[in-house]
Amino acid sequence: MAIYRVPICSAFLALLVFSSLSPARSEEGGAEGVRETAVLTLDASNFSETVAKYPLIVVEFYAPWCGHCQRLAPEYEKAAAILSKDDPPVVLAKVDANDEMNKELASKYEVRGYPTLKILRNQGNNIQEYKGPREAEGIVEYLKKQVGPASVEIKSSEDVSSLIKDKKIFIVAVFPDYSCEEFKNFMAVAEKLRSDYDFGHTLDAKLLPRGDLTVSGPVVRLFKPFDELFVDFQDFHGDALENFIETASVPKVTTFDKDPSNRPFLMKFFNNPNTKAMLFLNFSNEYFDAFKSKYYEVAEHHKGKNISFLIGDLDASQGAFQFFGLKEEQVPLIILQETGGQKYLKPNLEPDQIATWVEDYLGGSLTPFKKSEPIPEVNNEPVKVVVADSLYDVVFKSRKNVLLEFYAPWCGHCKNLAPILEEVAVSFQNDDDVVIAKMDATANDAPKEFNVQGYPTMYFSSASGKLVQYDGGRTKEDIIDFIQKNRDATIQDATIQKDTTVQSESLKDEL
């Protein structure tokens, strides 16, 4: 049986992307294969047949309960209405991935969060992730570039003005002619990466706004709105060229503010596997320049050392503060998050403390930061509330059989599960050996023993301390059956088993 969760990374990125969009009406499911509006409604019964009709179609996989999907809906509709009038038209469609009949389809297209948008080309044989804007004007502009050649020929200064913008990355290849092998390789890479970048090619370097204007090529010049503004590259082998583009298009320090042109760089920052250092402060404050200067020095010093750097404006960072459990009175602050989720925090920071603090982290002398809600004074509901500061006492020290759910308040799957867990808890209310509990994982940090990659995630800890992740069915009967099969019979038995385990471990340590 498939278990559906909302991935944490997807949820946070959606929070960033949609933070400036207005609330919108809820999605309504439509009749299959009928164009109720400009957006085509698809499901498992007509998906393949419909996709096969179009050289390019964009499909949104959504869930009706998802707030981010609801915010996208009117923007997606406006864009669809505009694009439907183009020649050739660009078709926008949607699939309710929360509908049971469409879940196999969602799995096939690797839908791990909502909304997920896919660009399907050549009757669905070429699948690319949509990574463009989420407002109507941006969607239209982005998708118009997805129609036609992956790279546009630059023949005049007017072409340059219309294509190369100050706030966007643009990649241009200069060639002596278009018959060389390098041109074929460049066009192949452009086709592969066209949903992420804009490409152009030219025979005349004098048309370009920056760099050596005398080169005849072959050379690739990447223009960018940060750091050194442009960089040249001459290796046209596919993998090397792709790696260059991906590396050169990442800022030394990513800016987190309300400027929508920075969103693609934010997506790159949060999607990369590096440890992430994030400095949050008020950009309008008089001390901003001093912080920025010191921070950029630190980022330059640690370039290539698997640490990515971000500087965020307090006015644009409310979603991040909520996600990381930060408070405005701690600003200026720097927080560092490792790939495994471990976090380190330095609140009320001074500019001269940045370099030392990062060095202390690398030297292993910092204490991890743990986000926790207060331990509840009253906790008498059937499903017990656990917070980070009480988790070890409830789960590991209680010597009871504990089923713990990690959830997010906004998660639709979690809301569906809540009444079922309530029924399970009631069924065990006269059994002192069993505890059904829940923890808001958006307000509390989960220890490393729990691999919480999405919501909801459930773990079962037996009275003897055996910890297993629950991936079974989500009915009352499924969960009760699992607990009965995995629980320890009595607290006394569990105590004997746990004490024996401790003695064995102690003996091993002595040996």
Side-chain angles (χ1 to χ4, degrees):
M1 177 181 177
I3 298 296
Y4 293 92
R5 301 187 180 95
V6 178
I8 293 174
C9 186
S10 297
F12 184 39
L13 289 176
L15 185 67
L16 299 181
V17 170
F18 289 106
S19 60
S20 64
L21 295 183
S22 303
R25 67 182 186 280
S26 299
E27 288 279 351
E28 296 291 338
E32 61 186 47
V34 177
R35 189 185 290 274
E36 293 180 315
T37 60
V39 177
L40 193 63
T41 301
L42 304 179
D43 59 30
S45 69
N46 61 16
F47 187 90
S48 298
E49 179 185 354
T50 304
V51 168
K53 295 178 182 178
Y54 301 102
L56 184 149
I57 182 172
V58 181
V59 180
E60 176 204 7
F61 293 89
Y62 75 96
W65 48 260
C66 168
H68 302 307
C69 303
Q70 292 168 14
R71 294 186 189 96
L72 176 62
E75 303 295 323
Y76 198 62
E77 178 66 38
K78 291 176 192 173
I82 296 170
L83 292 167
S84 66
K85 298 173 184 176
D86 276 14
D87 186 18
V90 177
V91 178
L92 271 59
K94 63 182 180 181
V95 173
D96 181 356
N98 197 55
D99 190 317
E100 195 65 39
M101 73 178 295
N102 298 325
K103 287 188 173 179
E104 186 174 334
L105 194 62
S107 177
K108 174 183 176 181
Y109 285 92
E110 300 181 343
V111 177
R112 299 189 178 94
Y114 303 121
T116 291
L117 284 83
K118 301 283 185 176
I119 300 174
L120 308 182
R121 303 177 189 274
N122 303 323
Q123 291 73 48
N125 294 316
N126 185 337
I127 305 167
Q128 293 175 315
E129 198 84 20
Y130 174 90
K131 298 179 181 179
R134 300 293 173 101
E135 69 280 349
E137 184 179 346
I139 294 171
V140 170
E141 180 185 359
Y142 182 89
L143 290 178
K144 281 186 174 181
K145 293 178 180 177
Q146 302 304 310
V147 180
S151 178
V152 180
E153 184 173 11
I154 297 174
K155 298 179 179 180
S156 66
S157 56
E158 288 76 16
D159 291 338
V160 171
S161 299
S162 65
L163 294 171
I164 303 178
K165 306 294 184 182
D166 290 340
K167 292 188 175 184
K168 296 185 70 175
I169 288 175
F170 196 88
I171 301 147
V172 182
V174 180
F175 298 100
D177 60 70
Y178 295 142
S179 62
C180 57
E181 190 67 25
E182 288 87 349
F183 178 72
K184 294 178 183 177
N185 291 346
F186 176 78
M187 292 301 290
V189 170
E191 182 64 42
K192 184 176 180 179
L193 301 181
R194 66 182 298 166
S195 63
D196 297 325
Y197 303 98
D198 295 328
F199 292 87
H201 54 274
T202 186
L203 299 175
D204 188 359
K206 295 184 179 65
L207 295 172
L208 302 182
R210 290 184 292 276
D212 185 356
L213 305 183
T214 63
V215 297
S216 59
V219 63
V220 172
R221 183 164 297 167
L222 186 146
F223 295 96
K224 51 186 177 176
F226 50 80
D227 300 342
E228 66 268 54
L229 299 183
F230 77 92
V231 58
D232 287 354
F233 191 72
Q234 292 182 300
D235 188 342
F236 280 80
H237 291 91
D239 291 343
L241 186 53
E242 283 185 47
N243 184 64
F244 159 72
I245 292 170
E246 295 288 355
T247 303
S249 61
V250 176
K252 182 192 307 179
V253 176
T254 300
T255 300
F256 187 175
D257 57 14
K258 293 184 178 180
D259 185 348
S261 66
N262 284 326
R263 287 180 190 158
F265 309 122
L266 282 170
M267 300 291 280
K268 279 181 172 290
F269 177 86
F270 285 105
N271 274 324
N272 78 51
N274 288 350
T275 293
K276 297 168 181 63
M278 294 162 279
L279 172 65
F280 292 104
L281 69 165
N282 192 328
F283 280 15
S284 61
N285 200 290
E286 60 185 11
Y287 54 62
F288 172 72
D289 288 337
F291 270 98
K292 182 178 179 181
S293 176
K294 293 291 185 181
Y295 197 57
Y296 271 71
E297 287 178 11
V298 172
E300 178 64 31
H301 179 71
H302 293 285
K303 188 175 182 179
K305 297 181 181 178
N306 298 321
I307 300 180
S308 298
F309 291 84
L310 175 146
I311 186 168
D313 187 4
L314 178 63
D315 289 342
S317 306
Q318 296 308 308
F321 271 52
Q322 178 183 349
F323 186 85
F324 290 115
L326 307 174
K327 300 176 182 178
E328 289 191 17
E329 55 264 30
Q330 295 174 314
V331 171
L333 66 84
I334 184 169
I335 184 167
L336 190 146
Q337 183 178 36
E338 297 176 339
T339 304
Q342 191 89 290
K343 293 186 285 290
Y344 300 84
L345 173 68
K346 173 65 176 175
N348 308 121
L349 186 71
E350 297 290 339
D352 291 338
Q353 296 175 327
I354 298 173
T356 303
W357 188 83
V358 173
E359 290 295 340
D360 287 344
Y361 161 73
L362 293 172
S365 61
L366 297 183
T367 301
F369 161 70
K370 181 174 69 174
K371 176 175 64 173
S372 178
E373 293 179 296
I375 297 175
E377 295 181 6
V378 179
N379 201 0
N380 54 14
E381 294 298 321
V383 179
K384 305 305 177 186
V385 174
V386 172
V387 299
D389 286 340
S390 68
L391 187 147
Y392 275 103
D393 288 337
V394 174
V395 177
F396 296 119
K397 294 183 180 179
S398 66
R399 290 182 171 175
K400 294 187 178 184
N401 301 284
V402 182
L403 180 74
L404 176 61
E405 176 207 15
F406 297 92
Y407 74 96
W410 43 259
C411 166
H413 297 309
C414 305
K415 292 176 182 177
N416 293 336
L417 182 62
I420 297 171
L421 284 184
E422 186 85 7
E423 292 179 14
V424 172
V426 169
S427 71
F428 284 106
Q429 63 183 353
N430 295 322
D431 189 335
D432 291 336
D433 292 350
V434 176
V435 175
I436 310 300
K438 63 181 180 180
M439 187 173 93
D440 180 353
T442 68
N444 300 274
D445 284 335
K448 61 183 179 181
E449 291 92 341
F450 301 91
N451 182 29
V452 182
Q453 296 296 323
Y455 305 126
T457 292
M458 288 190 285
Y459 272 86
F460 180 77
S461 177
S462 70
S464 60
K466 181 181 178 181
L467 185 67
V468 294
Q469 185 170 353
Y470 176 77
D471 277 324
R474 293 200 179 158
T475 67
K476 171 186 172 182
E477 292 73 21
D478 287 331
I479 297 172
I480 290 175
D481 183 60
F482 174 86
I483 293 172
Q484 297 290 21
K485 289 179 178 178
N486 289 274
R487 65 178 292 179
D488 291 311
T490 66
I491 293 178
Q492 184 178 5
D493 291 343
T495 301
I496 294 171
Q497 186 174 346
K498 183 173 283 188
D499 289 345
T500 303
T501 302
V502 171
Q503 291 170 7
S504 299
E505 291 298 327
S506 299
L507 182 60
K508 276 198 296 185
D509 291 340
E510 291 177 11
L511 294 174

